Amino acid sequence: MSLRANLSPKQEAIVFAEDGPIYVKASAGSGKTRVLTERIRHLLGLTKKNILALTFTNKAGEEISARLTDISEVESRLFIGTFHSFCQHVLENHGSMIGLSKMPHIFEEEADRLELVEQAIEQTPSYTDEYRSKSPQDQQKFRYRVLNFIAKVKRELIADDDLYKCNNDPNVILLYQTYQDILRSQNAIDFDDLLKLTYDLFITQPKIAALYRRSFHAICIDEAQDLNNSQYKLLLALANGEHKNIMMVGDPHQSIFHFTGSSPDFMDKKFVNDFDATTFVLNENYRSSTLVLKAANTLLPETTDTSNTVKAGLFEIHALNDDDSEAQWIIDKIKSLITSKHHDDIEGDICREKIAVLARHKYVFNKLEAKLGENNIPCYYKMTPGAIKFESDLMRLFDLSLRIRINPLDILHKERLLTALKISTAKIDDLNAIALKLQPGLDKQLLELACQLNNDGSNLKKLFEQFKNKVTMDDDNARKMIFDDIDELLKHWSHYAKKTDNKSLHQFKNDMALGKTHSLTQHNGITLSTVHTMKGQEFDIVFLMGMDEETFPDYRAVNKGGIELTQEKNNLYVAFTRAKRFLYVTWPKQRLMPWGDYKSRRISQFLKVFDDSTAPL
């Protein structure tokens, strides 16, 4: 290893490469975050200009920022965040150039977007009767079909004049246009609009793109295998054929977000061809054990170099009689590992925080979560950072109230609030008027609290601490749920307030929608996580459960085959490489179905490459 930041020769060649387009094809555990971080450090030392670092998760951005805190004025010289947060920043500052009088509110929930689709249908008389004649199941399928088309239009940046070229159903096209009209009438946008509007801004106002282009000495993109069309086209619009100092780092085998339109081809092919990028390959591994890496290479051959590994590690596959036995086996193994305390392959004591259980779907954890509780083993389910999902009805009312408080044009959530409060009249313009309609009680007090909030949120904590004293009820569980929700909201506010100088309730709500207010502190206990949510994180000991056919791979991918099945194998590769030392894979020979019958299961087709000589099947 080199003395320069402890870099290997391959890593050093990338970090200190000449300016220009660079593609780093980095396999799991090859130190890509270190390379990206040290490249940014090197570039900041070469110029007075800023660096733009784009990621796909807020956690990845915070990890890179944490490694660069020793650099003077790094916060003012390095813009680091997701594509969506970068677009939010651009639109907040220059959105007026494309007709945005102020930053719109973000409708982040799928349920909200589906409701807007239904509203669009109701506002389209030429189609309403046909829609009502469908069965409830077919109506739901049609709403999702429309929503998928809307996402496609925005992600592929399809112009209005070209809509008929990509869909021959005039009703769907009309519904897309009505959906957009409803959003605009409520001063709102959805996630895909953030990218599309910023792209439109850069294309129609090239001086704005040039302004950003001149301010950034380099653009660095992490996890570039997750790029989709709109993100790549946004990059092209920003670069405009002039900015060549771009670095992309990624692993084609960790591309698992096909359902969002992402593809490694944007990194692996288009970027290399469009920018004539120099390709570097990082296939050394400094993280995982030999047996874990050999298992990953058996799954996807020649993906990782195992020659530099120093820990043997462990890889096992176990078949259990049913999903209940599978959960019990994992519980017993966890107890045994923690009791043993030490293993030569694991640094320090073996503790719960070094253990994670992964699965393809959340429902796979049902039996395990119950048994963890029965055995008093603490755990937490790792959620995707984002807006708060309030558990109590009272705080759900506050969420609706806050949306209306900061955006009086938000008819969608105003009607939802009126329905929840059982107020029949819709001729109410603002939140104060709604509060006046209510009888004395907690609902009224909470709406009044939302009305009393300062625009900068400076009294949010004080008002909620006072409100807690008013929450009295016989049901202790319900009261605790309200308190937990309030505490969670205040945590999000605290995280936001620490990082923001010019605070506003509007920006707080949008930042929360983008996952920027989520606390990334480590929770206690065993981690439970779906594979998608665990991306970019590793644990010493990983259990991968539910490896029966049609669970992993998912039955929909099995039926479709092709790219869907390839994505599932990539999912499994990601799951394998989350393990640093030990990897236990389990599957049930029978699974209890929701209607009470047991159904026989087969081992996942992906695991058939492993024979008795490598793992006990």
Side-chain angles (χ1 to χ4, degrees), residues 31-44:
K32 68 177 184 60
T33 303
R34 170 180 288 175
V35 166
L36 183 73
T37 304
E38 293 307 317
R39 175 72 174 169
I40 292 172
R41 182 190 301 278
H42 172 64
L43 293 173
L44 286 171

Side-chain angles (χ1 to χ4, degrees), residues 188-303:
I189 57 176
D190 60 25
F191 271 145
D192 292 323
D193 280 322
L194 279 168
L195 295 163
K196 189 175 187 301
L197 288 171
T198 307
Y199 172 80
D200 291 342
L201 173 65
F202 285 165
I203 292 297
T204 60
Q205 305 292 330
K207 288 184 179 179
I208 301 299
L211 176 68
Y212 281 94
R213 194 161 53 245
R214 288 193 300 268
S215 67
F216 294 123
H217 174 71
I219 301 172
C220 299
I221 302 175
D222 189 23
E223 302 283 8
Q225 75 276 354
D226 292 331
L227 283 165
N228 65 21
N229 179 74
S230 57
Q231 290 159 342
Y232 185 68
K233 291 288 180 60
L234 178 69
L235 176 68
L236 290 179
L238 176 59
N240 195 37
E242 301 171 23
H243 198 298
K244 301 283 189 178
N245 201 17
I246 301 172
M247 175 184 182
M248 287 196 184
V249 181
D251 180 0
H253 297 298
Q254 294 194 53
S255 174
I256 61 176
F257 296 113
H258 174 68
F259 57 88
T260 67
S262 73
S263 169
D265 287 350
F266 293 109
M267 164 189 77
D268 217 26
K269 297 177 181 178
K270 293 184 182 297
F271 173 65
V272 173
N273 292 333
D274 292 343
F275 288 83
D276 192 24
T278 300
T279 299
F280 293 85
V281 177
L282 276 181
N283 55 7
E284 303 159 309
N285 191 289
Y286 301 100
R287 181 183 71 211
S288 299
S289 62
T290 303
L291 288 178
V292 169
L293 291 181
K294 283 184 176 179
N297 279 342
T298 301
L299 191 66
L300 290 174
E302 300 179 7
T303 51

Side-chain angles (χ1 to χ4, degrees), residues 69-243:
T69 53
D70 59 314
I71 298 177
S72 176
E73 300 179 341
V74 67
E75 291 186 1
S76 62
R77 298 191 56 209
L78 174 65
F79 184 100
I80 184 164
T82 64
F83 272 86
H84 288 90
S85 61
F86 172 66
C87 290
Q88 179 190 18
H89 171 79
V90 173
L91 293 175
E92 283 175 344
N93 287 280
H94 305 286
S96 60
M97 304 292 287
I98 53 172
L100 300 178
S101 58
K102 58 182 178 180
M103 182 65 193
H105 300 261
I106 300 171
F107 283 7
E108 75 278 11
E109 299 288 349
E110 182 184 79
D112 291 346
R113 300 195 296 275
L114 284 169
E115 190 168 331
L116 290 181
V117 168
E118 189 144 24
Q119 288 184 15
I121 293 170
E122 292 171 359
Q123 295 180 29
T124 309
S126 61
Y127 181 70
T128 304
D129 288 343
E130 181 181 339
Y131 174 76
R132 288 174 179 166
S133 68
K134 297 177 182 288
S135 68
Q137 185 178 17
D138 286 340
Q139 287 181 353
Q140 183 185 47
K141 287 180 180 177
F142 182 74
R143 291 195 298 273
Y144 273 103
R145 180 182 157 206
V146 172
L147 197 61
N148 289 335
F149 175 71
I150 292 169
K152 177 181 178 181
V153 169
K154 296 177 181 183
R155 290 170 186 167
E156 296 186 10
L157 303 172
I158 298 171
D160 287 349
D161 294 341
D162 295 328
L163 293 176
Y164 286 94
K165 295 178 183 179
C166 60
N167 194 303
N168 57 9
D169 187 340
N171 290 314
V172 174
I173 294 171
L174 184 58
L175 290 172
Y176 161 75
Q177 294 168 334
T178 307
Y179 173 94
Q180 288 299 100
D181 289 341
I182 295 172
L183 276 177
R184 280 191 289 269
S185 72
Q186 300 189 34
N187 187 34
I189 57 176
D190 60 25
F191 271 145
D192 292 323
D193 280 322
L194 279 168
L195 295 163
K196 189 175 187 301
L197 288 171
T198 307
Y199 172 80
D200 291 342
L201 173 65
F202 285 165
I203 292 297
T204 60
Q205 305 292 330
K207 288 184 179 179
I208 301 299
L211 176 68
Y212 281 94
R213 194 161 53 245
R214 288 193 300 268
S215 67
F216 294 123
H217 174 71
I219 301 172
C220 299
I221 302 175
D222 189 23
E223 302 283 8
Q225 75 276 354
D226 292 331
L227 283 165
N228 65 21
N229 179 74
S230 57
Q231 290 159 342
Y232 185 68
K233 291 288 180 60
L234 178 69
L235 176 68
L236 290 179
L238 176 59
N240 195 37
E242 301 171 23
H243 198 298

Side-chain angles (χ1 to χ4, degrees), residues 518-535:
H518 196 279
S519 174
L520 297 173
T521 56
Q522 179 64 47
H523 292 70
N524 295 323
I526 306 293
T527 296
L528 308 181
S529 173
T530 62
V531 178
H532 285 93
T533 308
M534 186 52 67
K535 199 142 179 253

